[in-house]
Amino acid sequence: MKLKGRNKVSPEFSMSSMTDIVFLLLVFFMLTSNAPNALDLLLPKAKGKSTNTQNVSVTIDKNLKYYVNNEQINKEYIEIELKKALEGQDKPTIILRAEENVAIKEAVNVMDIANRNKYKVILAVRPN
């Protein structure tokens, strides 16, 4: 009498399913974590849609001249001017207009000022 089964149980363990679970958990926690050093940026669509919540505009031209609401100012006084212009606003918002060939560090400087003062930044783009 044969009592031995035909199907053999394999003692090997596949790590691929465990790797998938760990990867999905990593992605989930990265998406849900609060990053305190992240900048709050609202990038508008490039279809030329305008917003009605414009409080202050900061413009950087190709000659690295800074303008706050079309008034030219020195780079060192941007934060002071923004604090004056956005004083008492419920949702202070800055529209950042940087010319195409301006170095990214110049735009990041304005974004850093906004982050320190908890202002929202909208990066203006050219319509298609």
Side-chain angles (χ1 to χ4, degrees), residues 39 79 109 111-119:
L39 295 174
E79 188 166 6
N109 182 35
M111 291 179 198
D112 186 43
I113 291 170
N115 186 36
R116 282 194 306 252
N117 294 296
K118 302 206 180 353
Y119 302 147

Side-chain angles (χ1 to χ4, degrees), residues 24-118:
L24 288 174
L25 284 173
L26 174 69
V27 170
F28 174 76
F29 286 123
M30 285 179 64
L31 291 175
T32 58
S33 70
N34 289 337
N37 294 331
L39 295 174
D40 191 14
L41 296 179
L42 301 173
L43 298 177
K45 294 181 182 176
K47 301 276 184 194
K49 185 177 179 182
S50 62
T51 60
N52 294 331
T53 60
Q54 178 178 350
N55 290 338
V56 174
S57 72
V58 175
T59 306
I60 307 171
D61 69 1
K62 62 184 174 186
N63 299 323
L64 298 181
K65 292 181 182 173
Y66 289 80
Y67 300 88
V68 174
N69 288 337
N70 298 325
E71 184 179 327
Q72 186 177 352
I73 61 166
N74 289 335
K75 182 178 178 179
E76 296 81 23
Y77 300 116
I78 292 174
E79 188 166 6
I80 296 167
E81 289 294 322
L82 288 174
K83 283 182 180 181
K84 283 184 201 174
L86 294 170
E87 190 175 50
Q89 298 287 335
D90 290 338
K91 296 179 182 178
T93 305
I94 299 171
I95 295 188
L96 178 59
R97 293 182 174 94
E99 276 197 57
E100 193 172 7
N101 295 327
V102 172
I104 192 70
K105 70 178 185 176
E106 303 299 329
V108 169
N109 182 35
V110 176
M111 291 179 198
D112 186 43
I113 291 170
N115 186 36
R116 282 194 306 252
N117 294 296
K118 302 206 180 353

